[in-house]
Amino acid sequence: MNPAIVTVNQTDDNRTNEASFTITNVSDTPLELAVVSQPPGYFTLNVPDKIESGKSADCRVKINAQYLSESFQKSLTFEFSDISKTRFTVPIVQKIIKGGKTAQAPASGH
């Protein structure tokens, strides 16, 4: 996965609510993926249902409006359709930057 941590930065000059990341299937078979865990209501995901062997897929996370003004550290977990049902957890971090300083996000999981 690239980047390893998905970060959304909010500053006084730059209000953004989306970030992207890429998942690459390095196996020799197509893989289906499903989101099996995420914090309710924090964000909306745009991810494919399947990634072909040797291919990459662009994914997007959009922070929902009610959480745009707070720093947080959350995560989501994918499960892949391989024989082991491999799971992969993606950290999602939002930082609120005011006056050139980053507000500290509480150290909480999902």
Side-chain angles (χ1 to χ4, degrees), residues 4-102:
I5 298 174
V6 178
T7 304
V8 178
N9 290 326
Q10 301 285 345
T11 66
D12 293 333
D13 297 334
N14 183 20
R15 292 289 191 196
T16 183
N17 65 342
E18 292 188 32
S20 62
F21 58 100
T22 303
I23 299 175
T24 302
N25 178 357
V26 297
S27 75
D28 58 0
T29 59
L31 292 176
E32 294 178 3
L33 63 150
V35 177
V36 295
S37 175
Q38 70 175 330
Y42 270 83
F43 36 80
T44 304
L45 299 171
N46 183 1
V47 298
D49 295 329
K50 184 178 191 179
I51 303 174
E52 296 297 328
S53 173
K55 301 292 183 182
S56 296
D58 292 323
C59 307
R60 296 199 65 78
V61 59
K62 181 177 179 181
I63 309 301
N64 291 330
Q66 66 267 36
Y67 297 104
L68 286 175
S69 62
E70 68 179 68
S71 293
F72 61 77
Q73 295 178 9
K74 301 292 180 184
S75 64
L76 62 100
T77 301
F78 292 105
E79 182 176 275
F80 295 92
S81 63
D82 60 346
I83 196 155
S84 300
K85 298 291 185 193
T86 302
R87 289 187 174 203
F88 187 81
T89 298
V90 179
I92 309 289
V93 176
Q94 177 167 263
K95 296 178 182 177
I96 307 299
I97 302 169
K98 296 185 182 210
K101 295 186 177 186
T102 304

